[in-house]
Amino acid sequence: MSQRTRPATRDDVPAIQRMVHALAEYEREPDAVESTERHVLEALFPDDGATSTFAHVAEVDGEVVGMAVWFLSYSTWTGRHGIWLEDLWVDPAHRGSGLGKELLAALAQVCVERDYRRLEWWVLNWNTPSIGFYESIGAVAQGEWTTYRLDGAALAALAAG
């Protein structure tokens, strides 16, 4: 069996969208996914302008079975960019094979090569298997922070003034 991680290509979009749906199922939000393959294609590979969203994929014997979707963040404290990992997923049949760690290592390499200072993400509090994995590679929970979100009607109301 051969496995590898690499930057995503246009041909990977259907597999990425499949894994987005699988992740939503896992995170108990199966009806929350609004994105389509077209949205993913436009985000990762826009026809005009530079992309602001990136992805790496993991393959086993030529089949895409894992993904890391990410974008750049910026810290005013460090004066440098970082990577915000939006989604990390490895199909259940391939967990424990090292692919999740390889995907994170690929992003860590991007950080080191580009002098980015942070690789950050969030994880649901109940997701103990993922928390254990992240802690095993040296990640540290940032428990003093609370995530806020403004969306839907509240977002539209604020925008309207």
Side-chain angles (χ1 to χ4, degrees), residues 39-60:
H39 292 125
V40 174
L41 184 67
E42 290 172 353
L44 295 175
F45 307 101
D47 289 333
D48 56 341
T51 187
S52 60
T53 309
F54 307 88
H56 279 67
V57 295
E59 290 181 324
V60 173

Side-chain angles (χ1 to χ4, degrees), residues 7-157:
T9 67
R10 288 175 170 269
D11 292 339
D12 298 320
V13 168
I16 291 169
Q17 186 65 16
R18 173 189 61 78
M19 290 182 284
V20 166
H21 282 279
L23 176 61
E25 288 278 338
Y26 178 78
E27 291 186 349
R28 305 172 187 162
E29 293 280 347
D31 299 325
V33 177
E34 297 178 20
S35 70
T36 65
E37 286 184 23
R38 168 60 61 203
H39 292 125
V40 174
L41 184 67
E42 290 172 353
L44 295 175
F45 307 101
D47 289 333
D48 56 341
T51 187
S52 60
T53 309
F54 307 88
H56 279 67
V57 295
E59 290 181 324
V60 173
D61 296 331
E63 178 186 358
V64 175
V65 299
M67 68 169 184
V69 178
W70 57 279
F71 55 90
L72 294 182
S73 61
Y74 180 77
S75 168
T76 56
W77 289 12
T78 67
R80 304 277 196 296
H81 284 290
I83 287 178
W84 182 268
L85 174 61
E86 178 64 17
D87 287 326
L88 178 69
W89 177 261
V90 174
D91 287 340
H94 297 282
R95 292 190 186 145
S97 67
L99 288 172
K101 186 175 181 180
E102 285 183 34
L103 285 164
L104 288 174
L107 300 188
Q109 289 170 353
V110 170
C111 287
V112 170
E113 290 167 3
R114 299 180 187 177
D115 195 28
Y116 298 165
R117 296 301 170 100
R118 297 176 177 166
L119 172 55
E120 298 177 294
W121 62 93
W122 54 39
V123 60
L124 291 165
N125 292 333
W126 58 259
N127 192 348
T128 54
S130 294
I131 292 168
F133 166 61
Y134 298 144
E135 290 176 351
S136 78
I137 62 169
V140 177
Q142 302 295 299
E144 67 273 10
W145 294 90
T146 300
T147 302
Y148 282 85
R149 176 178 293 162
L150 191 59
D151 64 5
L155 179 65

